[in-house]
Amino acid sequence: MTPAEPRRASDYPSAPRFLRTQEAADYLGLSARTLEKHRTYGTGPVYRKLGCRVVYTIDELEAWAAIGTRRSTSDPSEGTGCILPSQSPRLIGRAA
C-alpha cells in the first residue's frame, strides 16, 4: 500500500480505538494539515479531545467520508466541503 492510497478499517486488524490526526489523515488519504483545517472551519469529521490530544474514531471518519458520496457531478448536496476561508461561517460578514 502506498501512502497516497486511502486506508480502510480492514487495514487495521487490531485497530486502535482512536486515531490521532496524522493517522486519521492517512486513513482518509488526506494531509494532516487538511484535516486540521477542516477541524478549524467546522467542516471535518467529529473528533474528541483526550487531554491535549485530538483523536478520531474510524466510525466517525467513515461517516464523514460517506457524506461526500456522489453518483454524479451534478448531485446537489454539499458533501464534505472544500476548505475556502473566504466562505467560512466565521469569516462571512467580517470587514475586509
Side-chain angles (χ1 to χ4, degrees):
M1 174 174 298
T2 64
E5 292 179 41
R7 292 182 173 181
R8 301 287 171 243
S10 60
D11 294 334
Y12 294 90
S14 59
R17 183 172 173 157
F18 299 109
L19 300 178
R20 296 190 67 183
T21 300
Q22 183 62 56
E23 297 164 327
D26 291 344
Y27 181 82
L28 292 169
L30 301 173
S31 73
R33 185 67 185 124
T34 297
L35 196 54
E36 290 166 359
K37 286 181 183 179
H38 274 294
R39 191 169 63 237
T40 300
Y41 297 133
T43 58
V46 173
Y47 66 95
R48 291 165 175 75
K49 291 279 293 206
L50 299 178
C52 295
R53 294 185 176 120
V54 173
V55 294
Y56 300 86
T57 65
I58 290 176
D59 289 342
E60 292 293 353
L61 295 174
E62 289 179 349
W64 179 74
I67 293 170
T69 302
R70 299 286 176 275
R71 293 189 185 276
S72 163
T73 56
S74 62
D75 281 352
S77 138
E78 293 184 29
T80 58
C82 294
I83 302 172
L84 301 172
S86 62
Q87 295 178 350
S88 171
R90 289 189 211 157
L91 299 177
I92 293 174
R94 283 190 182 176

